[in-house]
Amino acid sequence: ILVKTERKCHVLGLNLMHLLVDNRLSEFHAELELLSEEEAGTPFVSFPITLERQLMVGSYDEVLNAGRSVPDPSYNFFMENLMETVRDSIADCVEVTYKSLKLTDAVTMMKLDSVEELQEYVQDKRDDWLVEGDMLTFQPPPVGSKAADIPSMKLISQSLSYATELERIV
């Protein structure tokens, strides 16, 4: 019976990892509600629960480091996908926060192994980033619409017109 419970918890943990990686958090939490305390306490299930908590509070560094302590090698596939998602989130924050950054600092922040790996990441995923010498330069984001650009008076007029027409019909 112990082996059966362990295997069940292993599968439950992998399912939780799948839901977490796919950002299906409502389903993740629904699954948690169905777990017993004993099941939730196993390493297979507690690992994705801990990861989700770390993600929710923005402890990306801890999530990236958790890849070194998976409870079973079968979790590595999900960790690779999750690490990619976390790196993308870090990259989104970095490009808004800095105008430029040293390549070595960006490697450290994104938990990459080398400058070459960062350059590969930039080439594959970040067309708007420029590598110039030992610096990474971020292009300013496109200027969004301003409140003055919205034709509010026209929209109000149309809405009132529609309301008047609806009132005539009813």
Side-chain angles (χ1 to χ4, degrees), residues 16-109:
L16 289 173
M17 288 294 292
H18 174 256
L19 295 173
L20 191 59
V21 168
D22 281 353
N23 203 24
R24 293 165 43 193
L25 298 179
S26 59
E27 292 174 58
F28 180 92
H29 289 279
E31 287 291 326
L32 288 183
E33 295 296 322
L34 301 174
L35 296 175
S36 69
E37 283 188 43
E38 181 184 322
E39 291 169 334
T42 65
F44 295 119
V45 177
S46 65
F47 183 76
I49 292 171
T50 303
L51 281 178
E52 188 267 345
R53 287 182 185 142
Q54 292 168 341
L55 284 170
M56 291 303 109
V57 297
S59 297
Y60 295 142
D61 198 40
E62 292 178 34
V63 173
L64 292 173
N65 289 331
R68 299 184 185 115
S69 61
V70 293
D72 187 79
S74 59
Y75 283 65
N76 287 330
F77 169 76
F78 295 109
M79 281 306 298
E80 288 172 15
N81 290 332
L82 190 61
M83 291 173 104
E84 192 172 312
T85 302
V86 168
R87 281 193 181 114
D88 289 342
S89 293
I90 292 170
D92 291 341
C93 293
V94 165
E95 73 181 357
V96 171
T97 307
Y98 300 97
K99 290 182 180 182
S100 63
L101 189 65
K102 285 186 176 183
L103 290 175
T104 53
D105 292 340
V107 167
T108 304
M109 284 182 183

Side-chain angles (χ1 to χ4, degrees), residues 148-160:
D149 296 339
I150 300 171
S152 56
M153 292 309 287
K154 182 179 177 184
L155 292 172
I156 291 170
S157 175
Q158 284 177 344
S159 296
L160 289 173

